[in-house]
Amino acid sequence: MWNLLNDDAAFPTDHARPSEVAPVVPLFGTPEDDAVMGWQERALCAQTDPEAFFPEKGGSTREAKKVCTGCEVRAECLEYALANDERFGIWGGLSERERRKLKKRVV
């Protein structure tokens, strides 16, 4: 019978020590990804209807932009969309057309 309260008895010392154990490899993403994409967990759009942020052609963007105005990670969202050339949807409170105009002004 195993003594789970006594680590020495349950795991003899002739086995690999924790520092000699192979590193844990994450199945999805890396810790760096969490730092870069952590803002998405705090985004207000993650708590609302996603269809509002990807309206049909000619559809209204008003509802999505209203949500964006109160979002604490709006700047990170817009920065992500610009860096990754997002071509669809409302990101950081701007439509694809507005993001294109912004890029042209910056370049």
Side-chain angles (χ1 to χ4, degrees):
M1 178 142 187
W2 290 89
N3 180 355
L4 298 177
L5 298 177
N6 183 349
D7 288 343
D8 294 334
F11 303 102
T13 57
D14 61 333
H15 290 287
R17 301 207 184 286
S19 62
E20 299 168 358
V21 175
V24 175
V25 178
L27 293 176
F28 304 101
T30 65
E32 292 80 24
D33 292 340
D34 290 342
V36 172
M37 301 299 282
W39 60 267
Q40 287 185 341
E41 294 176 0
R42 300 186 327 269
L44 289 179
C45 60
Q47 304 165 25
T48 59
D49 180 15
E51 289 187 27
F53 293 88
F54 296 93
E56 304 253 343
K57 188 169 185 161
S60 176
T61 60
R62 186 177 304 143
E63 184 182 334
K65 289 181 177 185
K66 188 175 180 181
V67 171
C68 291
T69 59
C71 186
E72 69 179 64
V73 294
R74 182 177 178 186
E76 290 94 330
C77 179
L78 180 57
E79 185 178 327
Y80 173 84
L82 294 171
N84 292 284
D85 200 27
E86 287 291 343
R87 298 191 180 207
F88 301 99
I90 305 301
W91 291 82
L94 299 181
S95 68
E96 192 271 333
R97 181 183 301 154
E98 292 165 329
R99 291 192 303 275
R100 241 181 317 162
K101 285 181 184 178
L102 180 63
K103 271 187 159 180
K104 285 181 183 179
R105 281 190 286 177
V106 173
V107 174

